[in-house]
Amino acid sequence: MIDTLPFTPEIEARTRPVYERAKAVIPAAEWPLFAPYVDAIARLKRERNAVILAHNYQTPEIFHGVADIVGDSLQLAREAQRAEADVIMVCGVHFMGQTAKILNPERTVIVPDARAGCSLAESITAADVRMLRAKHRGVPVVTYVNTSAEVKAESDVCCTSSNAVKVVESLGVPRVILIPDAFLAHYVASQTAVEIISWHGRCEVHERFRAIDVDRLREGEDGLLVIAHPECPPDVIAAADFAGSTAAMIDFVRDRAPQKVVLLTECSMSDNVAAQFANVEFVRPCNLCPHMKRNTLPKILRSLETLQDEIVVDEAVRVRALAAVERMIAIA
Ligand code: 13P
Ligand code: SF4
């Protein structure tokens, strides 16, 4: 954190209930740095009639400290659809802010740092989708939400990692184009009889996991449950006990109540989930998403003060992207 705000006894008292929720994952020595921001952000949210949606990869002080709604990409899209606040802040990456704006054109949608991108979203353009359509005439295009509004606008329907198989099968066709994540496409192909035409995008965070790391983790860790995100390479998913979206990971830990678990995904995920499952030991090899980590409490405060960085989506693009996003939400 660059700037610090004073930690007063009044702030300590007002933020105590928040800290009680987060104390398993935020050291007591760090709370005086976070609490003044948590307090100031809570006040500004009330003044602005703002709601904060935060992805599961946000740091614990954001996830537990200031978020009103947390979840995976699908949950955030659903909640953005239901939002009634005047201002929607999305703490995640740029495409998540765009999805909220696509669903809420009349509301102000802001993100703490518009530079928070995504290697998947950057791997494909609208022109690439038109090229794929021309090459595979009549084959529907299913697009992962980790894409720009322009790419969504060229698509028939969106999907997330938690509903991709369901969306693909809902189309009732023998072949679909599933873009842009090559590994998610490979995973979906392994779960369905529908033929999948894929693209070469990759998540720079999940592609770094290796099957050999899974084998090493299991050595000497009896009963370790390994859960991988579907953006991981196929051999990692094959070596894991379960593959699922970040929300599916949480459900799996809750249902199976393992003694020890490893979540092969972004680093903040285990921190955030560990706060909810005191009896589960989280083994923590992980990879940081530099884009998700652009969000900080000082930036959130600045963003609520200035209503910047505002997400703006061209209306013609938005209307076409909305059809693909709404179709996904209806199916899921
Ligand atoms: P989910 O939360 O939908 O699993 O997405 C993971 C991800 O990488 C988002 O950027
Ligand atoms: Fe994109 Fe991967 Fe970061 Fe998610 S974790 S925002 S998919 S780069």
Side-chain angles (χ1 to χ4, degrees), residues 21 26 36 40 102 173 192 217 236 275 303:
R21 286 202 304 271
I26 300 181
I102 288 165
V173 294
T192 179
L217 282 167
V236 172
S303 183

Side-chain angles (χ1 to χ4, degrees), residues 59-196:
T59 50
E61 69 276 12
I62 296 175
F63 186 92
H64 294 289
V66 299
D68 299 292
I69 290 152
V70 294
D72 70 357
S73 308
L74 179 62
Q75 289 167 326
L76 295 187
R78 279 200 179 119
E79 293 299 336
Q81 194 185 35
R82 293 186 194 127
E84 286 180 358
D86 296 324
V87 176
I88 301 173
M89 171 178 279
V90 180
C91 293
V93 290
H94 190 262
F95 75 80
M96 295 178 177
Q98 279 193 328
T99 305
K101 185 66 184 179
I102 288 165
L103 289 158
N104 290 281
E106 73 293 351
R107 296 180 209 282
T108 303
V109 176
I110 51 176
V111 293
D113 189 334
R115 295 170 303 167
C118 169
S119 63
L120 282 169
E122 277 143 34
S123 74
I124 192 159
T125 64
D128 293 327
V129 186
R130 289 192 291 272
M131 180 275 293
L132 281 168
R133 275 199 192 278
K135 194 169 162 196
H136 306 281
R137 290 205 180 278
V139 180
V141 176
V142 178
T143 295
Y144 197 27
V145 287
N146 297 35
T147 45
S148 66
E150 288 75 13
V151 166
K152 288 183 176 76
E154 296 293 334
S155 312
D156 294 292
V157 57
C158 287
C159 74
T160 71
S161 55
S162 63
N163 61 23
V165 176
K166 195 170 176 180
V167 169
V168 162
E169 294 191 336
S170 76
L171 299 175
V173 294
R175 297 171 87 198
V176 305
I177 299 167
L178 176 54
I179 52 172
D181 186 351
F183 292 155
L184 178 71
H186 189 281
Y187 172 70
V188 171
S190 75
Q191 304 290 308
T192 179
V194 178
E195 186 192 336
I196 305 291

Side-chain angles (χ1 to χ4, degrees), residues 34 47 64 90 136 180 185 193 234 240 258 275 293 318 326:
F34 297 142
E47 285 173 20
H64 294 289
V90 180
H136 306 281
K293 265 43 202 183
R318 189 195 69 81
E326 283 189 328

Side-chain angles (χ1 to χ4, degrees), residues 231-248:
E231 292 169 9
C232 289
D235 57 347
V236 172
I237 293 177
D241 298 299
F242 174 72
S245 75
T246 55

